[in-house]
Amino acid sequence: MAALLLAGCSSDGADGTGGAGPGAPAGSSSRPAGPTGDATGEPSGRSLPLAGRVVVLDPGHQLGNRNHSAQIRRPVDAGGFEKDCNTTGTASAAGLPEATFTWRVAVAARDRLRALGARVLLTRSSDSDDEWGPCIDERGRIGNPGEPGPTADVRVSIHADGVLAAGARGFHVIRPGRLAGWNDDIAGPSRRLAAALRDALVAAGFDPSTYRGRQGIDVRSDLGTLNHSDVPAVMAELGNMRDRREAAVMAGPGGQGRYARAIAAAVRAYLER
Ligand code: ZN
C-alpha cells in the first residue's frame, strides 16, 4: 500500500480549539438501573453499563524502544510472515513521542471505561525510557481466549501517524483485512467496531484522514497486532503528529482527553449494540 508516506506511525487531527478537558465527567452512564441496580440512587457495580466486560487497550510502542534497538528489531510472527518486534514510533516536531501520546490517551480511556464498569487490560504498564516492547504479536494476543488472564470482548490499539506530506492530517481507523486462518472470526465484528470508533471520533470533533483510507477507515492485513487478535480489534491512527496544528491538539490534555472520550464512547456503543 502507500508505503511512500509511512514513516512510522502518524496521523489525525482536528481543529485546535480543544474539547472537554480531562476533568470532564467520565461518560454519561446514567441509563436506567438494571435488574440488580438501585433504582433510586447510584447504580450498583453490576448495573454499570460495561460491568463484566473486558477491554484491551494497546498503547502503541514504548518510550524505551529507542534505547533497545536490538531487542525491538527481533523478528516475530505477524500473521504468517515476520516483522520486527516493535518500532520506536514517530514523534511531533516539538518532540512529543508517539509512545507518550498513546500512553496518555490509553490511560485516560482506561479511566473512563473503568468508570463505566469495564475491566481494562493495558498491553504495557508504563511509559518508560528504561523499558521496551511488548512485541506486536504479544500485543495482539493479550486477552485472547486461552491466554492467561481474562478474555477480552474488544481490543483497541492506539497509535499516531508521522506523515510528512503537506496537508496530511486526520485520523484513520484500521480494521483487519481477511487473512485466511488468522482472523476469519473477527472480521465482521471488527468492521462494526471500526465504524463505531470512526463515528465517535467524528462526534468528538476530529476529522477523518486526508491521506489514508475511506471516510476514516482503512483495511490492512499486514499488522501483527490485528492479525494475532482473536477478539474484535481495530488500530486507530489518531492523528498525524507531523502536522503542526494537529500535533498541538495531540500534545495537550484537552485533546488527549477528547481522544480518550471518543475511544470509551466507541467501545460502549459497540458493546451495547
Ligand atoms: Zn505507532
Side-chain angles (χ1 to χ4, degrees):
M1 289 207 199
L4 67 166
L5 295 174
L6 300 183
C9 279
S10 75
S11 153
D12 182 42
D15 62 85
T17 57
S28 53
S29 58
S30 58
R31 76 175 195 177
T36 60
D38 175 348
T40 57
E42 286 294 309
S44 74
R46 292 191 60 81
S47 74
L48 291 172
L50 298 186
R53 300 294 198 156
V54 179
V55 179
V56 174
L57 295 180
D58 172 36
H61 313 280
Q62 167 62 280
L63 195 59
N65 282 3
R66 58 194 180 188
N67 301 320
H68 297 85
S69 58
Q71 288 92 334
I72 68 168
R73 284 178 186 162
R74 177 171 68 85
V76 299
D77 184 87
F81 55 94
E82 288 189 341
K83 291 181 80 168
D84 287 356
C85 157
N86 213 304
T87 63
T88 58
T90 188
S92 72
L96 175 66
E98 179 189 352
T100 297
F101 167 74
T102 65
W103 173 253
R104 290 175 180 169
V105 171
V107 167
R110 176 199 64 188
D111 292 347
R112 286 183 172 276
L113 288 164
R114 279 180 174 170
L116 295 171
R119 181 172 180 181
V120 179
L121 309 177
L122 294 180
T123 58
R124 57 181 166 113
S125 58
S126 68
D127 187 51
S128 167
D129 234 354
D130 298 325
E131 298 184 24
W132 60 274
C135 299
I136 54 175
D137 56 336
E138 182 179 347
R139 291 170 185 265
R141 287 196 301 261
I142 291 171
N144 276 353
E147 292 291 319
T151 296
D153 295 289
V154 64
R155 179 188 322 277
V156 178
S157 190
I158 301 168
H159 286 257
D161 226 345
V163 174
L164 293 172
R169 64 178 70 89
F171 73 85
H172 64 283
V173 180
I174 305 166
R175 63 177 176 83
R178 291 190 185 276
L179 194 61
W182 283 88
N183 57 16
D184 312 80
D185 295 339
I186 68 164
S190 297
R191 178 192 294 264
R192 294 192 294 277
L193 176 61
L197 183 50
R198 184 268 314 279
D199 292 348
L201 286 165
V202 169
F206 297 108
D207 295 326
S209 173
T210 60
Y211 64 92
R212 185 107 198 207
R214 290 185 59 192
Q215 298 181 318
I217 295 179
D218 197 12
V219 186
R220 291 176 64 174
S221 299
D222 63 329
L223 298 172
T225 299
L226 296 183
N227 290 343
H228 276 280
S229 184
D230 292 330
V231 303
V234 294
M235 179 178 290
E237 297 281 2
L238 291 176
N240 182 10
M241 299 191 85
R242 306 305 296 190
D243 180 86
R244 186 176 302 275
R245 197 169 66 170
E246 189 154 69
V249 175
M250 302 175 84
Q256 292 164 8
R258 203 147 49 94
Y259 285 115
R261 185 176 61 187
I263 291 168
V267 168
R268 179 178 181 179
Y270 171 80
L271 292 175
E272 288 189 323
R273 74 191 186 282

